[in-house]
Amino acid sequence: MKRYSAFSLLRNALSHNRNWRPAWRSPAPKKSYDAIVVGGGGHGLATAYYLAKEHGISNVAVLEKGWIGGGNTGRNTTIVRSNYLWTEAALLYEKSMKLWEGLSQDLNYNVMFSQRGVYNLAHSLQDMRDIERRVNANRLNGIDAEVVSASELGKAIPYLNVSPDARYPILGASLQRRGGVARHDAVAWGFARAADALGVDIIEQCEVTGIEVKNGKAVGVLTTRGSIASDRIGVVVAGHASVLAKMAGLRLPIESHPLQAFVSEPIKPVLDTVVMSGAVHGYISQSDKGELVVGAGIDSYNGYGQRGSFPVIEHAMQAIIELFPIFSRVRMLRLWGGIVDVAPDACPILSKTPVEGLYFNCGWGTGGFKATPGSGWVFAHTMARDEAHELNAPFSLERFTTGALVDEHGAAAVAH
Amino acid sequence: MLLIECPWCGPRAETEFSYGGEAGITRPRDPDALSDAEWADYLFCRSNPRGNHRELWNHAHGCRRWFGVERDTVTYRISRSFELYPAAVPETDAALQSGPDNSNGGD
Amino acid sequence: MQAAQANRLREGGRIDRSRPLKFSLNGKAYTGFAGDTLASALIANGVGLVERSFKLRRPRGIFGSGAEEPNVIVQVGEGAEAQPGLPATRVELRDGLIAHTARGWPSVRFDIGAINDLFGRILGAGFYYKTFMYPRSWWKYYESAIRRSTGFGRAPAASDPDAYEHRNAHCDVLVAGGGPAGLMAALVAAKSGARVILADDGTEFGGSLLACGEDVAGAPAADWIAGIVAELGEQPDCVLLPRGAVLGYHDHDFLTIAERCDSGEPVERGLHPPVRERLWRIRAKRVILAQGGFERPLAFCNNDRPGVMLASAVSTYIHRYAVLPGRRAVVFTNNDSAYRTALDLAVAGAAVAAIVDSRPGGGGELAIRARDLGIPVLQGRVVCDVTGRHRVKGVSVAEWSGDSWENISKTAHFDCDLLAVSGGWSPAVHLHSQAGGQLDWSEAQLCFLPSRARQCHDSAGAGNGKQSLGDCLIDGLRAGTEAVAKLGLTPIAIEAPDAGSAREAPIEALWRVPAEKEADRCLKQFIDFQNDTTVADIRLAVREGYRNVEHVKRYTALGFGTDQGKLGNINGMAVLADVLGKTIPEVGTTTFRPVYTPVRFGTVAGESVGALYDPVRQTALHEWHEAVGAPMEVVGQWHRPWYFPRDGEDLHTAVARECLAVRNSVGAMDASTLGKIDARGPDVVKFLERIYTHNVGRMKVGRCAYGIMLGEDGMVMDDGVMARLGENHFYLTTTTGGAAGVLNWLESWLQTEWPELEVYLTSLTEHFSTIALAGPNSRNLLEKLGCDIPLDRESFPFLTVRAANLAGMPVQLFRVSFSGELAFEINIGSHLALQMWRKVMDAGREFDIIAYGTETMHVLRAEKGFIIVGQETDGSVTPVDLGMNWLLSKEKDFLGKRSLARPDCLREDRKQLVGLLSSDQRTVLPEGTQLIEQTACGVLETRPVPMCGHVTSSYFSPSLGHPIALALVAGGRARKGDNVFAALPGREPLPVEVVSPAFYDPKGERQNV
């Protein structure tokens, strides 16, 4: 891998940028691999990268049915935080946060991780209790967190409506200063480039159409580009997890729903942090390009259509204007939807399955982007060692049978 | 915004309805007879198909009745709405009526 | 003043020369006329250089005439009425209009940022992914500089004074686009009896007809438009929406239209400001998409210089706005349509130095007309470069053989101040694509055409690939007629009017003109003007492995500007296809996402903002609470009195007084927000047995019971008192927040799972109000009020219900207690509630009655160890965790019971409800405090610190004189007497003793007296 730097930019500029190498190759699939990762989104590419980097397994294929980063990786609102309530979830997301903090340098690709802080607003006394509880738990878990009063909020976020006359007055907020946003496409590309450099084959336009199981063991996959053998198959396909599970005869506690988001036209910097509100169901940040990036609530029905219903957008808009009345005249430029795979406890599944050598990474619901590096890191461990890392052990499929759910609905009441 | 046909009130906008998930998930008659895994399957596992989906909707801001809808989860096209327990049971709905205790439907 | 508008034609156009308007751009004053856009007025005033580009800070002028304008995005107005992000081509001129551009410092002409243009090679596609990484901590400074350089305007610093609304409508035929095809389609549909909505983004109907000099039906186009619009206006069921942009085509033929209700003139805003923009939410039976097409530019060196314009835009400025954008023009085209522009220019008095046509065979009939006017036509030639920096000074022309991408060299130079460019047309297929329709590539027309529709739509006119005016009219008529027939109506017969159609020569597949330098060294061939995306950028992206069109777009920002790729996307794909050696359809198209044109947040939000954001629910006693100045607690949609301060008391003082008053005498609380459900029917007992955990059937008529319901996962979902009013008649109460959800939950089980049960559920939450009287004097108070039933302990024991007449009013009296005191709840019709409350307060004066709010209620119940669902529970708490085993029937199944037998629910070390006492007898533990073990206290420096529980409720108990707290503690019930430690931020961990949650009157004697 030729390193990226200001110097390489200069040097290549002198040769009219003709000597840049592809960020990743486009190899034809081999007959077999030591491990296959199904799904070339951020999580899948991260899994492949850490398989190669941390576990020395570099004879790996990432099979992507479309183009890498084209699913939820390229469709989310890019929020990164780790201030989850339950220790199990908090430690997993905090692992991810730590990886984020050095990711651009580790990948030698600027993923523009920007720690501009994440506020979760409280609009009721119960919201405040929940925030106190979560902030206290975060601190004991070694995660930065603080409670911010309404008047401090007014100073920190200039145009936030902290008036006590608001329909749902803001009573305070939690703040994670290390939280923020990143450039979503760059995360996929950066992992792809780094994984490729370690020998991973990233194979686009290669749809998995079947999972071959013999005597309870996974032996390979059927794809639109032929069958590929491997006894270690990790499925990381977000919204389509149930479809892939069915290929292996499995049923998952997952439902796929549309989740929508929209951006405004670019405006001059006006919001330099991330603001989320569960009570009024809206969250917003401003991208480096100047667009206000707004996430809407989840659509109620099952859907694989990458589009949702317009009233959901209307509600999100009303919420944003409730929080920031000055944005009423800013104009919406584009809206889109992704497919989120929601588990009953709003927590992911990072698990072995009843099929030996078949692993599933799914159920991230509305908040998977933030977990991208950590998810790949623990899932690579799980695939390499055939056992969960202690960080993802609580997120096995067994929890649905034993009842040991990690219920993060409080933290995930608003999509993020 | 979907246009959903309530069997009693006719076609109405989606905002009048609330969604109830997959149809045909029958509560086991004797939960204690089930293993933890079987109970978990009833509780949490859903077929979540990519394609035709039999699902429940409630005309929450209308007649408040629950009914079934067959909808494609990719095109969102609705092929039909049906009463869950019509007075005269058509053949096709027999499964909903008298599915085995631990039937979870399926697509 | 008029002299200032040097480029204004003396006659023609759809402007009102009798209404001159003053306006300013970046502080400089100009004049224009009513009917102008900001763009046409600027061109009239000879303003060529208007703005700087985003990345390279190149000088830019107005390029288009509509929604596709990439360069001149302005901020209009000031203060609260400022509107950022408007293309100058879509700003209706009005008197006093103030506009600003975003860039250019110290001025647009002398912009210091123009230095970026020199470093274009370094600032290629995606350069930011390759740098700004070291040192790590500097990213925030890099980023801050990047952020400052972006954006087109500023959000106003004050709340929006404008009003918006939503309007729902149904129609038989929605016609999107009021050009020639749309007008014909709407006409035939409306006259055939269909309910029609015709929406057009422009200020008036006519579309491309407003910008051409052709005749329709033997009359000037404007006259024909006026006639059709008048005829449509006479139809009984035809809604005409000019200034109505169809934004989105969603599922099930649901479309949204943003209607600008006025021209943007200042309006009087009284108490009821006029609606400024309206969002139409339309369900259509048939949709006809007739939004015309977008002309494409061509890529050649310096194709972005001010004075280079789309040919169709030039024609539009001449015909519609009577503005001549240049005196001496060159027209560069690969198709016939631009010949019209050459003719328009010549007729309007400009010199056309040359028509440069890339096709060796040249054009069709129009080319002959051009030659007849003496315009030099160069065939097989291309414009390969543009001279002039702030304004076009001339163009270089080269030979072009049509099949070579080799470098070419200049053969001629033409001086000019305007270059009109046409690279062919792309139908506006956005809505067709949004609706799920397929697109097919036409090799003959070199564009994507709408093909199979997924919903009930059809395309017509230029949007359907029709090129001549005559064909568009005929196609509109066809689409309208077919729509009518599909609706089952009989289409009336209408003839399409005569209109000109010239024989055309086919378009040539020229997208990019070869440069003198090889492609990668030529950095000035722009594809996406707004994002400064060039041909070299696309080539670079491919070289770096970004080969999928979506990767290329995202890596180069192609198509991510405010025009959403309307101008540059097809050209970008063509360049990509060329680099990859593929065809354009192999490269694929990109997804068209709503919205078609940008729309204000406020318009999408509609009326539901501010006070109307969400309904406020108030109890029947609200008036009284407000009159005495009680602060309100927001509980869901409800406003509930929080406490009742006297003489400036704060929360704690007031609550202490209220608590003691209840414990010592009597207090009254408005408990009306509790959910109330009437349940009756022959199977009601069977039904409730399955819902509640206790033995409902054993309850005698007249008895009350505390009941809980679980989700199927075994977790506590809701709780409340239920009463058996008759053999088959129950009265259920729920939590305030759970009222609606519980009713829906019960109904869903009845209707979807147990339809054989005959049970009828009715919500009574609003119909009845509840006044809770608590305290040792509550019975005395009732007696004083006058009650027709005996109230003594034997006749009316604890946990019973009686119908009674109290103070002359019919009530249901419940002997229940949420405070642990002797207590009654008066349920009374809401119409009588305020009257009853006043009588209660009057009669209570003898007992020093006080009103108390939610806070005192919380303290009183916490003193008793009573839970609040949602405070002591969080969806992960079982009844066993709460110590409610006594409520779980062993004799029956109930919802959630099976889940309680799962291994995790049987763990001994689950978090269980306990009471806590602060060891210092002083500290009121903050709610949400986490609890740790003594062993963990020693390792506070290392993280994570294991937690064993948390504080759910915590108050100072005025009755007990010390703080109390409820908590969930791992294995807590077995640990009574143990100390755990409260991890208080910034303090030493505080030892707290685990005790029973029942702090006050643990035997429950006081409520039973």
Side-chain angles (χ1 to χ4, degrees), chain C residues 241-245 257-261 276-280 603:
Chain C
L241 296 178
R243 298 195 177 95
I257 297 175
E259 180 194 5
R260 307 185 298 286
C261 302
R276 209 65 191 266
E277 293 197 5
R278 177 179 293 126
L279 186 79
W280 289 74
T603 311

Side-chain angles (χ1 to χ4, degrees), chain A residues 17-18 23 109 139 328 332, chain C residues 160 518 543-544 599 943:
Chain A
N17 291 317
R18 275 173 302 195
Y109 201 104
R139 285 178 171 166
S328 172
M332 170 165 75
Chain C
D160 191 348
E518 64 167 303
R543 190 173 309 125
E544 294 196 78
V599 56
R943 306 287 158 150

Side-chain angles (χ1 to χ4, degrees), chain A residues 3-6 9-10 13-14 16-24 26 67-68 74-75 86-87 91 101-102 104-105 108-110 112-114 116 124-126 129 132-133 136-137 139-142 159 167-169 183-186 189 204-205 262 264-272 280 286-292 294 307 310-311 313-314 317-322 325-336 400-404 407, chain C residues 80-87 121-122 127-134 136 139 143 147-160 162 164 166 250-251 254 256 279 281 454 518 520-521 531 540 543-546 548 550-551 554-555 560-562 564 593-595 598-602 604-605 608-610 613-616 633-634 636-637 639 642 870-871 874-876 902-904 911 927-930 932 943-945 947 950 952 983 985:
Chain A
R3 287 186 64 76
Y4 289 158
S5 65
L9 272 176
L10 270 173
L14 293 177
H16 299 279
N17 291 317
R18 275 173 302 195
N19 296 323
W20 289 110
R21 305 299 306 157
W24 63 93
S26 308
W67 39 284
I68 61 166
R75 292 167 182 274
W86 297 105
T87 297
L91 296 185
E101 287 176 326
S104 291
Q105 292 71 31
N108 180 234
Y109 201 104
N110 191 347
M112 303 186 180
F113 178 48
S114 170
R116 45 190 61 254
S124 69
L125 297 177
Q126 186 58 41
R129 284 183 204 111
E132 292 275 0
R133 177 183 173 196
N136 286 325
R139 285 178 171 166
L140 291 169
N141 277 324
Y159 297 104
R167 174 63 188 84
Y168 286 103
R183 169 87 183 118
H184 52 7
D185 293 325
W189 300 338
E204 297 177 88
Q205 312 292 335
F262 60 88
S264 75
E265 296 177 320
I267 55 173
K268 289 286 172 192
V270 65
L271 176 64
D272 69 353
V280 305
Q286 186 174 20
S287 74
D288 286 350
K289 244 192 112 179
E291 299 157 325
L292 298 175
V294 179
R307 20 173 239 292
F310 197 71
I313 296 293
E314 293 168 353
M317 204 65 96
Q318 289 151 7
I320 293 307
I321 293 177
E322 175 74 3
I326 68 155
F327 291 158
S328 172
R329 296 173 79 90
V330 177
R331 302 199 306 167
M332 170 165 75
L333 181 59
R334 167 173 84 242
L335 70 91
W336 68 91
F400 299 100
T401 303
T402 63
D407 201 324
Chain C
E81 302 218 34
Q83 175 63 55
L86 293 177
R121 275 197 242 165
I122 300 174
F127 76 96
Y128 29 81
Y129 300 127
K130 297 170 183 160
T131 183
F132 304 139
M133 285 179 277
Y134 311 94
R136 203 170 100 183
W139 168 241
E143 188 183 36
R147 286 170 83 89
R148 279 200 304 273
S149 72
T150 60
F152 285 109
R154 293 178 188 284
S159 292
D160 191 348
D162 282 346
Y164 306 90
H166 285 178
H250 304 272
D251 286 290
F254 179 80
T256 49
L279 186 79
R281 307 157 93 241
R454 200 180 70 198
E518 64 167 303
D520 298 318
R521 299 182 61 172
N531 287 310
L540 173 60
R543 190 173 309 125
E544 294 196 78
Y546 304 89
N548 186 289
E550 288 292 343
H551 284 157
R554 286 156 182 265
Y555 195 63
F560 278 89
T562 54
Q564 289 286 286
R593 292 173 172 142
V595 286
V599 56
R600 280 189 197 176
F601 281 20
V604 176
S608 302
V609 293
Y613 172 67
D614 202 33
V616 175
E633 180 182 355
V634 177
Q637 292 177 326
H639 283 183
W642 191 8
Q871 186 164 342
D874 57 8
S876 71
R902 295 176 300 174
D904 195 69
K911 289 213 238 171
E927 287 166 347
T929 297
Q930 294 287 341
I932 58 178
R943 306 287 158 150
V945 178
M947 289 165 260
H950 73 279
T952 57

